[in-house]
Amino acid sequence: IFVDSRIKMESLAHKEYVQNAIDYIKREFGVSDSQIAADLGDASMLPPKSIDGFRADIYVNTPSLIIIGEAKTDNDINNNHTLAQFASYVKEARVYDKKRHIVMSGSMAAYPSIRNFIRRFRKRNDVPGITFHTVDPFKKGEVLK
């Protein structure tokens, strides 16, 4: 029973982090709900596209920009799965000749890990022309340079 309740809590937290990122994206980029495909657990607006076998939590593709968003629970940041996801998201974003953004959201406790993950990822990978953002639980975002 403990495992089930922990999974349920992680799922609720993940949903909250997805929503925080959506709120940030709407505010920062002026996109509407109808332009955002997101995995909020109800399958109503799932991102339509699998990217190298990964489904991003958030996918926005307008005539002027592409945004790929990922929400992470505390124990799901520094691992090979997340590295592979982000490599795939960069590859996807590069296909488009428009403004390209990748957003990562999580808990306040995980926020330093998220920032460090993105900084290391940017240093180790060729990512020109892609802007990375972090989003904290207060829905504040940070552009990482």
Side-chain angles (χ1 to χ4, degrees):
I1 293 174
F2 173 73
V3 172
D4 287 346
S5 64
R6 193 184 80 216
I7 290 170
K8 194 173 198 175
M9 284 176 33
E10 274 194 17
S11 177
L12 288 172
H14 184 266
K15 186 176 180 178
E16 178 186 328
Y17 306 150
V18 171
Q19 189 61 56
N20 291 344
I22 289 169
D23 292 345
Y24 170 77
I25 289 166
K26 286 166 49 176
R27 185 179 71 242
E28 290 300 310
F29 299 98
V31 296
S32 66
D33 285 329
S34 66
Q35 294 172 300
I36 300 172
D39 183 359
L40 288 169
D42 61 4
S44 63
M45 284 293 292
L46 273 177
K49 190 169 188 178
S50 173
I51 303 168
D52 289 344
F54 300 107
R55 185 183 300 271
D57 291 319
I58 302 166
Y59 192 87
V60 177
N61 193 348
T62 73
S64 62
L65 60 91
I66 180 165
I67 304 167
I68 301 171
E70 191 64 32
K72 289 294 180 183
T73 55
D74 294 5
N75 298 320
D76 192 29
I77 298 165
N78 293 306
N79 58 45
N80 289 334
H81 174 80
T82 301
L83 280 170
Q85 280 181 305
F86 272 67
S88 294
Y89 299 162
V90 164
K91 184 175 154 189
E92 168 74 7
R94 280 194 172 140
V95 169
Y96 299 95
D97 184 23
K98 51 181 142 183
K99 293 179 182 168
R100 300 170 285 200
H101 301 271
I102 296 178
V103 176
M104 191 175 195
S105 175
S107 74
M108 192 55 82
Y111 198 69
S113 296
I114 289 171
R115 291 176 80 221
N116 289 335
F117 172 86
I118 291 175
R119 285 193 171 119
R120 278 194 312 275
F121 183 84
R122 287 182 67 239
K123 271 186 182 173
R124 295 177 183 161
N125 296 277
D126 186 30
V127 294
I130 299 173
T131 304
F132 288 83
H133 305 253
T134 59
V135 179
D136 70 23
F138 299 107
K139 303 174 187 178
K140 288 185 184 169
E142 178 181 7
V143 175
L144 294 180
K145 304 234 183 232

